[in-house]
């Protein structure tokens, strides 16, 4: 999913947002991504300028098998969806986009009406499309859902 988004995303701000949203959907789920999948993705999606610890998707998925931050109990299947989500561009230039992605939890197959998450990613343009340079929790869910643009479709 992330690599497909990277492959089709255009060299535009919206293209960067599309890749950031795909990364959110891939990273925040349980069961967590398998180590081999995380390692392969890291090689293709992380920017060369990303810190070594940030690039280590395999290590972070092993160390943090419940990426919900305690919102969802350990062992309960979940993922994030942008169906009712929003996006907000924090900053953008020709080759760099920082975007906050607001998404909703899907817990045990049901889209939650009130459990939300926000992640902010900085992406840089490369010969291989948009690559992720860094990530953070910059804003609250309330902020991003108040100022964000709704996704026109979602996964």
């Amino acid at each position: 999913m992330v690599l497909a988004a990277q492959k089709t995303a255009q060299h535009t701000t919206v293209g960067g947002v599309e890749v950031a949203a795909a990364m959110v959907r891939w990273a925040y789920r349980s069961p967590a991504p398998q180590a081999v999948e995380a390692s392969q993705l890291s090689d293709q999606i992380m920017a060369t300028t990303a810190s070594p610890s940030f690039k280590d998707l395999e290590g972070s998925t092993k160390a943090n098998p419940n990426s919900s931050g305690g919102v969802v109990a350990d062992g309960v299947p979940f993922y994030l969806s942008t169906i009712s989500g929003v996006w907000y561009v924090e900053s953008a230039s020709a080759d760099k986009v920082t975007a906050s992605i607001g998404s909703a939890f899907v817990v045990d197959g049901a889209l939650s009406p009130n459990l939300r998450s926000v992640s902010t990613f900085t992406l840089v343009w490369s010969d291989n499309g948009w690559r992720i340079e860094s990530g953070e929790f910059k804003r609250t869910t309330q902020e991003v859902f108040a100022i964000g643009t709704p996704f026109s479709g979602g996964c």
Side-chain angles (χ1 to χ4, degrees):
M1 158 181 56
V2 177
L3 297 178
Q6 181 189 44
K7 183 178 181 179
T8 60
Q10 296 185 12
H11 188 180
T12 63
T13 299
V14 171
V17 169
E18 290 169 351
V19 174
M23 188 64 182
V24 164
R25 293 189 307 267
W26 177 86
Y28 297 97
R29 60 185 164 126
S30 177
Q34 297 296 312
V36 68
E37 178 187 356
S39 179
Q40 290 170 346
L41 182 62
S42 181
D43 292 341
Q44 298 176 55
I45 197 66
M46 301 309 270
T48 58
T49 52
S51 73
S53 62
F54 186 72
K55 284 184 194 180
D56 185 14
L57 294 177
E58 181 180 353
S60 66
T61 57
K62 281 182 183 176
N64 188 19
N66 183 349
S67 58
S68 77
V71 173
V72 179
D74 289 348
V76 175
F78 76 89
Y79 62 91
L80 294 181
S81 173
T82 54
I83 287 175
S84 59
V86 298
W87 55 278
Y88 178 75
V89 175
E90 302 286 347
S91 64
S93 66
D95 293 331
K96 193 171 203 170
V97 173
T98 300
S100 292
I101 307 297
S103 51
F105 280 85
V106 177
V107 181
D108 242 352
L111 183 66
S112 174
N114 56 4
L115 296 179
R116 296 175 169 177
S117 177
V118 170
S119 296
T120 302
F121 286 103
T122 297
L123 299 93
V124 293
W125 184 257
S126 74
D127 291 341
N128 299 318
W130 289 107
R131 288 188 172 243
I132 299 170
E133 183 175 61
S134 64
E136 62 183 315
F137 299 106
K138 183 178 181 115
R139 293 184 181 267
T140 67
T141 55
Q142 294 83 2
E143 286 177 312
V144 173
F145 277 85
I147 62 176
T149 301
F151 282 98
S152 58
C155 294

